[in-house]
PDB file of all heavy atoms in Angstrom:
ATOM      1  N   LYS A  62     105.261  84.508  80.350  1.00 86.00           N
ATOM      2  CA  LYS A  62     104.853  85.156  81.590  1.00 86.00           C
ATOM      3  C   LYS A  62     103.620  86.011  81.300  1.00 86.00           C
ATOM      4  O   LYS A  62     103.458  86.511  80.201  1.00 86.00           O
ATOM      5  CB  LYS A  62     105.973  86.070  82.125  1.00 86.00           C
ATOM      6  CG  LYS A  62     107.251  85.344  82.478  1.00 86.00           C
ATOM      7  CD  LYS A  62     108.178  86.192  83.324  1.00 86.00           C
ATOM      8  CE  LYS A  62     108.520  87.526  82.698  1.00 86.00           C
ATOM      9  NZ  LYS A  62     109.362  88.358  83.561  1.00 86.00           N
ATOM     10  N   THR A  63     102.771  86.183  82.305  1.00 87.00           N
ATOM     11  CA  THR A  63     101.554  86.969  82.084  1.00 87.00           C
ATOM     12  C   THR A  63     101.780  88.451  82.348  1.00 87.00           C
ATOM     13  O   THR A  63     100.898  89.261  82.123  1.00 87.00           O
ATOM     14  CB  THR A  63     100.416  86.489  82.993  1.00 87.00           C
ATOM     15  OG1 THR A  63     100.880  86.503  84.348  1.00 87.00           O
ATOM     16  CG2 THR A  63      99.986  85.083  82.621  1.00 87.00           C
ATOM     17  N   SER A  64     102.973  88.810  82.848  1.00 87.00           N
ATOM     18  CA  SER A  64     103.282  90.211  83.120  1.00 87.00           C
ATOM     19  C   SER A  64     104.775  90.363  83.332  1.00 87.00           C
ATOM     20  O   SER A  64     105.472  89.402  83.650  1.00 87.00           O
ATOM     21  CB  SER A  64     102.529  90.673  84.365  1.00 87.00           C
ATOM     22  OG  SER A  64     102.910  91.988  84.681  1.00 87.00           O
ATOM     23  N   MET A  65     105.260  91.601  83.190  1.00 86.00           N
ATOM     24  CA  MET A  65     106.676  91.863  83.378  1.00 86.00           C
ATOM     25  C   MET A  65     107.091  91.663  84.835  1.00 86.00           C
ATOM     26  O   MET A  65     108.223  91.299  85.127  1.00 86.00           O
ATOM     27  CB  MET A  65     106.984  93.295  82.939  1.00 86.00           C
ATOM     28  CG  MET A  65     108.432  93.547  82.629  1.00 86.00           C
ATOM     29  SD  MET A  65     108.671  95.234  82.064  1.00 86.00           S
ATOM     30  CE  MET A  65     109.044  96.033  83.610  1.00 86.00           C
ATOM     31  N   HIS A  66     106.169  91.901  85.788  1.00 85.00           N
ATOM     32  CA  HIS A  66     106.533  91.790  87.192  1.00 85.00           C
ATOM     33  C   HIS A  66     106.564  90.347  87.699  1.00 85.00           C
ATOM     34  O   HIS A  66     107.009  90.101  88.808  1.00 85.00           O
ATOM     35  CB  HIS A  66     105.605  92.644  88.068  1.00 85.00           C
ATOM     36  CG  HIS A  66     104.208  92.119  88.177  1.00 85.00           C
ATOM     37  ND1 HIS A  66     103.241  92.412  87.246  1.00 85.00           N
ATOM     38  CD2 HIS A  66     103.628  91.318  89.089  1.00 85.00           C
ATOM     39  CE1 HIS A  66     102.110  91.813  87.594  1.00 85.00           C
ATOM     40  NE2 HIS A  66     102.319  91.137  88.711  1.00 85.00           N
ATOM     41  N   LYS A  67     106.090  89.403  86.885  1.00 87.00           N
ATOM     42  CA  LYS A  67     106.121  87.999  87.274  1.00 87.00           C
ATOM     43  C   LYS A  67     107.520  87.434  87.035  1.00 87.00           C
ATOM     44  O   LYS A  67     108.217  87.863  86.123  1.00 87.00           O
ATOM     45  CB  LYS A  67     105.118  87.182  86.454  1.00 87.00           C
ATOM     46  CG  LYS A  67     103.681  87.599  86.630  1.00 87.00           C
ATOM     47  CD  LYS A  67     103.124  87.083  87.911  1.00 87.00           C
ATOM     48  CE  LYS A  67     101.635  87.361  87.992  1.00 87.00           C
ATOM     49  NZ  LYS A  67     101.112  87.133  89.311  1.00 87.00           N
ATOM     50  N   GLU A  68     107.919  86.467  87.864  1.00 87.00           N
ATOM     51  CA  GLU A  68     109.228  85.843  87.668  1.00 87.00           C
ATOM     52  C   GLU A  68     109.122  84.584  86.823  1.00 87.00           C
ATOM     53  O   GLU A  68     110.065  84.204  86.138  1.00 87.00           O
ATOM     54  CB  GLU A  68     109.876  85.520  89.023  1.00 87.00           C
ATOM     55  CG  GLU A  68     110.281  86.778  89.759  1.00 87.00           C
ATOM     56  CD  GLU A  68     111.163  86.499  90.970  1.00 87.00           C
ATOM     57  OE1 GLU A  68     111.526  85.330  91.194  1.00 87.00           O
ATOM     58  OE2 GLU A  68     111.476  87.460  91.673  1.00 87.00           O
ATOM     59  N   LYS A  69     107.971  83.896  86.885  1.00 87.00           N
ATOM     60  CA  LYS A  69     107.802  82.648  86.150  1.00 87.00           C
ATOM     61  C   LYS A  69     106.470  82.644  85.415  1.00 87.00           C
ATOM     62  O   LYS A  69     105.575  83.422  85.714  1.00 87.00           O
ATOM     63  CB  LYS A  69     107.829  81.452  87.117  1.00 87.00           C
ATOM     64  CG  LYS A  69     109.159  81.251  87.789  1.00 87.00           C
ATOM     65  CD  LYS A  69     109.093  80.060  88.712  1.00 87.00           C
ATOM     66  CE  LYS A  69     110.429  79.882  89.401  1.00 87.00           C
ATOM     67  NZ  LYS A  69     110.285  79.375  90.764  1.00 87.00           N
ATOM     68  N   TYR A 103      95.662  93.792  85.617  1.00 90.00           N
ATOM     69  CA  TYR A 103      96.524  92.640  85.878  1.00 90.00           C
ATOM     70  C   TYR A 103      97.944  93.089  86.206  1.00 90.00           C
ATOM     71  O   TYR A 103      98.902  92.376  85.956  1.00 90.00           O
ATOM     72  CB  TYR A 103      96.524  91.701  84.663  1.00 90.00           C
ATOM     73  CG  TYR A 103      95.151  91.133  84.385  1.00 90.00           C
ATOM     74  CD1 TYR A 103      94.348  91.649  83.366  1.00 90.00           C
ATOM     75  CD2 TYR A 103      94.631  90.116  85.171  1.00 90.00           C
ATOM     76  CE1 TYR A 103      93.085  91.145  83.130  1.00 90.00           C
ATOM     77  CE2 TYR A 103      93.366  89.609  84.941  1.00 90.00           C
ATOM     78  CZ  TYR A 103      92.605  90.121  83.923  1.00 90.00           C
ATOM     79  OH  TYR A 103      91.346  89.633  83.701  1.00 90.00           O
ATOM     80  N   SER A 104      98.090  94.282  86.771  1.00 89.00           N
ATOM     81  CA  SER A 104      99.408  94.823  87.079  1.00 89.00           C
ATOM     82  C   SER A 104      99.877  94.332  88.446  1.00 89.00           C
ATOM     83  O   SER A 104      99.139  93.682  89.183  1.00 89.00           O
ATOM     84  CB  SER A 104      99.367  96.355  87.070  1.00 89.00           C
ATOM     85  OG  SER A 104      98.550  96.807  88.127  1.00 89.00           O
ATOM     86  N   GLY A 105     101.127  94.661  88.779  1.00 90.00           N
ATOM     87  CA  GLY A 105     101.671  94.292  90.077  1.00 90.00           C
ATOM     88  C   GLY A 105     102.993  94.998  90.302  1.00 90.00           C
ATOM     89  O   GLY A 105     103.504  95.712  89.431  1.00 90.00           O
ATOM     90  N   ALA A 106     103.561  94.791  91.491  1.00 91.00           N
ATOM     91  CA  ALA A 106     104.823  95.453  91.844  1.00 91.00           C
ATOM     92  C   ALA A 106     105.985  94.743  91.171  1.00 91.00           C
ATOM     93  O   ALA A 106     106.147  93.530  91.280  1.00 91.00           O
ATOM     94  CB  ALA A 106     105.009  95.450  93.351  1.00 91.00           C
ATOM     95  N   ASN A 107     106.816  95.522  90.464  1.00 90.00           N
ATOM     96  CA  ASN A 107     107.996  94.990  89.785  1.00 90.00           C
ATOM     97  C   ASN A 107     109.176  95.046  90.751  1.00 90.00           C
ATOM     98  O   ASN A 107     109.556  96.128  91.190  1.00 90.00           O
ATOM     99  CB  ASN A 107     108.271  95.821  88.527  1.00 90.00           C
ATOM    100  CG  ASN A 107     109.199  95.135  87.563  1.00 90.00           C
ATOM    101  OD1 ASN A 107     109.555  93.982  87.768  1.00 90.00           O
ATOM    102  ND2 ASN A 107     109.583  95.833  86.520  1.00 90.00           N
ATOM    103  N   ASP A 108     109.730  93.891  91.105  1.00 89.00           N
ATOM    104  CA  ASP A 108     110.857  93.831  92.055  1.00 89.00           C
ATOM    105  C   ASP A 108     112.117  94.303  91.338  1.00 89.00           C
ATOM    106  O   ASP A 108     112.589  93.664  90.410  1.00 89.00           O
ATOM    107  CB  ASP A 108     111.022  92.402  92.568  1.00 89.00           C
ATOM    108  CG  ASP A 108     112.077  92.312  93.655  1.00 89.00           C
ATOM    109  OD1 ASP A 108     112.619  93.369  94.048  1.00 89.00           O
ATOM    110  OD2 ASP A 108     112.366  91.191  94.107  1.00 89.00           O
ATOM    111  N   ARG A 109     112.676  95.438  91.807  1.00 88.00           N
ATOM    112  CA  ARG A 109     113.856  95.997  91.149  1.00 88.00           C
ATOM    113  C   ARG A 109     115.091  95.879  92.038  1.00 88.00           C
ATOM    114  O   ARG A 109     115.973  96.722  92.017  1.00 88.00           O
ATOM    115  CB  ARG A 109     113.600  97.460  90.781  1.00 88.00           C
ATOM    116  CG  ARG A 109     112.342  97.617  89.931  1.00 88.00           C
ATOM    117  CD  ARG A 109     112.145  98.980  89.348  1.00 88.00           C
ATOM    118  NE  ARG A 109     112.354 100.058  90.283  1.00 88.00           N
ATOM    119  CZ  ARG A 109     112.916 101.225  89.936  1.00 88.00           C
ATOM    120  NH1 ARG A 109     113.283 101.451  88.701  1.00 88.00           N
ATOM    121  NH2 ARG A 109     113.082 102.171  90.834  1.00 88.00           N
ATOM    122  N   ARG A 115     108.265  99.256  91.561  1.00 91.00           N
ATOM    123  CA  ARG A 115     107.396 100.082  90.724  1.00 91.00           C
ATOM    124  C   ARG A 115     106.307  99.201  90.139  1.00 91.00           C
ATOM    125  O   ARG A 115     106.522  98.007  89.934  1.00 91.00           O
ATOM    126  CB  ARG A 115     108.181 100.721  89.583  1.00 91.00           C
ATOM    127  CG  ARG A 115     108.980 101.936  89.978  1.00 91.00           C
ATOM    128  CD  ARG A 115     109.549 102.600  88.747  1.00 91.00           C
ATOM    129  NE  ARG A 115     110.410 103.721  89.118  1.00 91.00           N
ATOM    130  CZ  ARG A 115     111.231 104.315  88.266  1.00 91.00           C
ATOM    131  NH1 ARG A 115     111.330 103.874  87.030  1.00 91.00           N
ATOM    132  NH2 ARG A 115     111.958 105.336  88.659  1.00 91.00           N
ATOM    133  N   SER A 116     105.196  99.813  89.842  1.00 90.00           N
ATOM    134  CA  SER A 116     104.096  99.065  89.246  1.00 90.00           C
ATOM    135  C   SER A 116     104.388  98.805  87.771  1.00 90.00           C
ATOM    136  O   SER A 116     104.911  99.676  87.069  1.00 90.00           O
ATOM    137  CB  SER A 116     102.807  99.869  89.383  1.00 90.00           C
ATOM    138  OG  SER A 116     101.765  99.207  88.731  1.00 90.00           O
ATOM    139  N   SER A 117     104.081  97.587  87.321  1.00 90.00           N
ATOM    140  CA  SER A 117     104.162  97.307  85.886  1.00 90.00           C
ATOM    141  C   SER A 117     102.883  96.605  85.461  1.00 90.00           C
ATOM    142  O   SER A 117     102.309  95.826  86.222  1.00 90.00           O
ATOM    143  CB  SER A 117     105.381  96.444  85.566  1.00 90.00           C
ATOM    144  OG  SER A 117     105.230  95.158  86.099  1.00 90.00           O
ATOM    145  N   ASN A 118     102.428  96.913  84.254  1.00 90.00           N
ATOM    146  CA  ASN A 118     101.157  96.405  83.750  1.00 90.00           C
ATOM    147  C   ASN A 118     101.273  94.954  83.314  1.00 90.00           C
ATOM    148  O   ASN A 118     102.365  94.432  83.113  1.00 90.00           O
ATOM    149  CB  ASN A 118     100.680  97.254  82.569  1.00 90.00           C
ATOM    150  CG  ASN A 118     100.313  98.656  82.989  1.00 90.00           C
ATOM    151  OD1 ASN A 118     100.113  98.920  84.167  1.00 90.00           O
ATOM    152  ND2 ASN A 118     100.227  99.561  82.033  1.00 90.00           N
ATOM    153  N   GLY A 119     100.097  94.313  83.152  1.00 89.00           N
ATOM    154  CA  GLY A 119     100.044  92.952  82.650  1.00 89.00           C
ATOM    155  C   GLY A 119     100.359  92.912  81.162  1.00 89.00           C
ATOM    156  O   GLY A 119     100.401  93.940  80.487  1.00 89.00           O
ATOM    157  N   SER A 120     100.568  91.703  80.647  1.00 89.00           N
ATOM    158  CA  SER A 120     100.923  91.520  79.241  1.00 89.00           C
ATOM    159  C   SER A 120      99.753  91.869  78.327  1.00 89.00           C
ATOM    160  O   SER A 120      98.677  91.285  78.431  1.00 89.00           O
ATOM    161  CB  SER A 120     101.340  90.070  78.999  1.00 89.00           C
ATOM    162  OG  SER A 120     101.377  89.798  77.623  1.00 89.00           O
ATOM    163  N   ARG A 121      99.972  92.826  77.429  1.00 90.00           N
ATOM    164  CA  ARG A 121      98.900  93.228  76.522  1.00 90.00           C
ATOM    165  C   ARG A 121      98.769  92.271  75.350  1.00 90.00           C
ATOM    166  O   ARG A 121      97.698  92.163  74.758  1.00 90.00           O
ATOM    167  CB  ARG A 121      99.137  94.656  76.038  1.00 90.00           C
ATOM    168  CG  ARG A 121      98.830  95.650  77.170  1.00 90.00           C
ATOM    169  CD  ARG A 121      99.233  97.056  76.849  1.00 90.00           C
ATOM    170  NE  ARG A 121      98.519  97.581  75.708  1.00 90.00           N
ATOM    171  CZ  ARG A 121      98.765  98.772  75.178  1.00 90.00           C
ATOM    172  NH1 ARG A 121      99.669  99.557  75.705  1.00 90.00           N
ATOM    173  NH2 ARG A 121      98.090  99.193  74.139  1.00 90.00           N
TER     174      ARG A 121
END
Side-chain angles (χ1 to χ4, degrees):
K62 298 195 305 177
T63 54
S64 175
M65 200 178 92
H66 71 275
K67 298 282 187 192
E68 291 191 4
K69 294 180 181 146
Y103 297 101
S104 66
N107 197 6
D108 186 4
R109 305 189 314 144
R115 281 188 184 167
S116 176
S117 68
N118 293 343
S120 166
R121 286 171 62 185

